[in-house]
Amino acid sequence: MRNTLKFVIGNWKMLSQQQHALLLARDLASYCKKQSHHSVRTVICPTFTQLVSVEKIISEMQIASDSLALGAQDCYPAKEGAFTGDVSATMLSDIGVRYVIIGHSERRQKHHESNEFICEKVKSALEAGLIPVICIGETLAERQEGKTAQILEEQILGSLPQNFSGIIAYEPVWAIGTGITPTMDELQENISIIRTLLEKHQPKTASQTPLLYGGSVKSDQSADIFSINGVDGVLVGGASLKADEFIKIIQSAPKD
Ligand code: PEP
């Protein structure tokens, strides 16, 4: 999966009403349809209620799935059962979802999701044939206490099943939705730490695992982020809700 392929993943969070979601999906699908190179893969992750209609737009406009694909923002580990309010990975796969974000810091913090629970979700996503996008990252306090590497190692050890196959997104919690991003040096250092940890704990798959950065990514610094050695893409929250801005971020990804 790694090599030259770059990922631009949009996390729409719980920020878009239906009408806006449909317009945004149409704009992005029109842009991606015109792209002849397929070295940049765009993935959009609407909220659960919008997945079916966004999928319909992508399939009706006949967009190649290696250009624009559909992702979800979460899944529940069980295939089915009495889990009121939850959505399984199998159900997502059934409606044409191909990627799923798991372990986003908003879920780790606001829903108290543990590394172990996240690992169960990752296994269920893989069983359902989805590509999991696992978010890891330190809080501001952990960063200030010099614990970044330790936290990243705990999250990698606890959240990933053996021979993990999927995508990792490094999202420092203090950078999400704050407009603050790490310096390029700090980002380079943490990306290298994660790559080394993956090689240590996931030796069979580490070299194939794309590593993304997420946290207040905007079009004015996305090209710099892409230029960092070892960065295979970006996970974008707020800026993915404006078609023009998100398209500029897609355009800043290097094309081979
Ligand atoms: C995110 O939600 O994963 C994210 C990175 O958000 P933002 O880009 O708004 O910081």
Side-chain angles (χ1 to χ4, degrees), residues 115-150:
N115 285 324
E116 293 67 30
F117 189 54
I118 289 163
C119 189
E120 292 308 307
K121 291 185 177 196
V122 177
K123 287 185 201 159
S124 76
L126 290 168
E127 271 169 34
L130 300 178
I131 299 174
V133 181
I134 321 307
C135 302
I136 58 171
E138 78 287 359
T139 62
L140 184 59
E142 289 160 348
R143 177 184 180 233
Q144 285 166 342
E145 289 165 29
K147 288 187 180 160
T148 298
Q150 179 196 325

Side-chain angles (χ1 to χ4, degrees), residues 159-188:
S159 314
L160 306 184
Q162 272 200 334
N163 301 327
F164 167 72
S165 122
I167 297 173
I168 302 288
Y170 170 53
E171 297 211 311
V173 180
W174 50 271
I176 296 178
T178 58
I180 304 168
T181 49
T183 63
M184 292 300 119
D185 284 349
E186 184 176 0
L187 184 50
Q188 177 69 79

Side-chain angles (χ1 to χ4, degrees), residues 22-254:
L22 299 186
L23 287 172
L24 183 56
R26 272 197 203 96
D27 285 349
L28 296 173
S30 304
Y31 171 78
C32 290
K33 194 173 169 72
K34 289 186 228 129
Q35 300 311 299
S36 48
H37 63 83
H38 288 169
S39 55
V40 182
R41 181 159 310 163
T42 302
V43 180
I44 47 177
C45 305
T47 193
F48 286 133
T49 55
Q50 294 155 356
L51 286 168
V52 170
S53 28
V54 172
E55 196 285 324
K56 200 160 171 253
I57 290 172
I58 296 175
S59 53
E60 279 179 2
M61 288 177 69
Q62 299 183 322
I63 320 291
S65 60
D66 52 3
S67 173
L68 178 66
L70 187 61
Q73 298 175 16
D74 187 35
C75 66
Y76 193 76
K79 272 193 189 140
E80 59 179 23
F83 299 100
T84 303
D86 287 312
V87 177
S88 73
T90 330
M91 288 166 169
L92 295 172
S93 169
D94 196 35
I95 57 164
V97 170
R98 297 189 55 222
Y99 293 78
V100 59
I101 298 171
I102 298 177
H104 192 283
S105 62
E106 286 152 16
R107 295 209 63 87
R108 287 180 186 265
Q109 294 194 325
K110 295 173 186 168
H111 296 263
H112 311 291
E113 293 191 0
S114 64
N115 285 324
E116 293 67 30
F117 189 54
I118 289 163
C119 189
E120 292 308 307
K121 291 185 177 196
V122 177
K123 287 185 201 159
S124 76
L126 290 168
E127 271 169 34
L130 300 178
I131 299 174
V133 181
I134 321 307
C135 302
I136 58 171
E138 78 287 359
T139 62
L140 184 59
E142 289 160 348
R143 177 184 180 233
Q144 285 166 342
E145 289 165 29
K147 288 187 180 160
T148 298
Q150 179 196 325
I151 295 299
L152 293 174
E153 183 157 30
E154 280 169 18
Q155 291 176 337
I156 286 172
L157 269 172
S159 314
L160 306 184
Q162 272 200 334
N163 301 327
F164 167 72
S165 122
I167 297 173
I168 302 288
Y170 170 53
E171 297 211 311
V173 180
W174 50 271
I176 296 178
T178 58
I180 304 168
T181 49
T183 63
M184 292 300 119
D185 284 349
E186 184 176 0
L187 184 50
Q188 177 69 79
E189 190 186 334
N190 291 342
I191 289 289
S192 303
I193 289 172
I194 296 169
R195 184 61 68 197
T196 305
L197 289 169
L198 286 174
E199 277 155 13
K200 181 174 161 197
H201 297 299
Q202 296 285 338
K204 292 201 179 132
T205 54
S207 65
Q208 293 303 306
T209 303
L211 188 43
L212 277 46
Y213 167 74
S216 295
V217 174
K218 308 263 181 326
S219 63
D220 55 6
Q221 21 80 308
S222 52
D224 290 342
I225 294 170
F226 275 113
S227 73
I228 290 179
N229 188 25
V231 169
D232 301 305
V234 287
L235 176 53
V236 187
S240 70
L241 288 149
K242 296 181 205 113
D244 291 357
E245 174 67 1
F246 194 55
I247 287 170
K248 279 191 209 156
I249 295 173
I250 301 169
Q251 286 169 333
S252 72

